[in-house]
Amino acid sequence: MDLSIDLSSILAASASAVGGVLAWKIKRHWTEAAEAAKAEAETRQEERERAAAALADVGRSVADVAQRVARLDMRMTARFDALQTAVDGHSREIDIGREARGKLYVAQDALRERVVRLETVQAVQAVGK
């Protein structure tokens, strides 16, 4: 039996076994790395989807608030218009009242003048009797 053949066969078998283990470890490392990258990508995708859903919720909330503000603005505008109409009506009534009061003062002055004339006429008639 030749010892050198056995030794080279052992070395070849050992190298083959070491190469196989090394290949298995490298394959396992890259498989684990790929699985980790895939899991991280899925996690990122889930985070993006949650963020998109949250952003959509915020968008709906903003749209809802904007719609409520628009309805409130319409109601407040209608109330303001009604108040403005009432104020305008009261202003006209006040103007009419002022005109009437001015006419009343003129009529009172005319009546006072007539009373004074009548009293003067009565006084003159009383003296003449």
Side-chain angles (χ1 to χ4, degrees), residues 15-28:
S16 177
V18 168
V21 169
L22 250 152
W24 176 80
K25 283 191 172 194
I26 290 171
K27 181 180 176 184
R28 187 180 77 186

Side-chain angles (χ1 to χ4, degrees), residues 12-78:
S14 294
S16 177
V18 168
V21 169
L22 250 152
W24 176 80
K25 283 191 172 194
I26 290 171
K27 181 180 176 184
R28 187 180 77 186
H29 170 75
W30 284 109
T31 301
E32 288 173 356
E35 288 173 356
K38 181 180 176 183
E40 186 175 336
E42 288 173 354
T43 301
R44 286 183 185 164
Q45 181 63 28
E46 290 171 359
E47 289 174 355
R48 279 193 287 269
E49 288 171 0
R50 282 194 301 270
L55 188 58
D57 287 344
V58 168
R60 283 189 293 273
S61 295
V62 167
D64 184 46
V65 168
Q67 195 174 35
R68 288 180 184 179
V69 167
R71 284 193 304 255
L72 179 62
D73 182 52
M74 286 190 305
R75 285 197 315 261
M76 295 308 291
T77 300

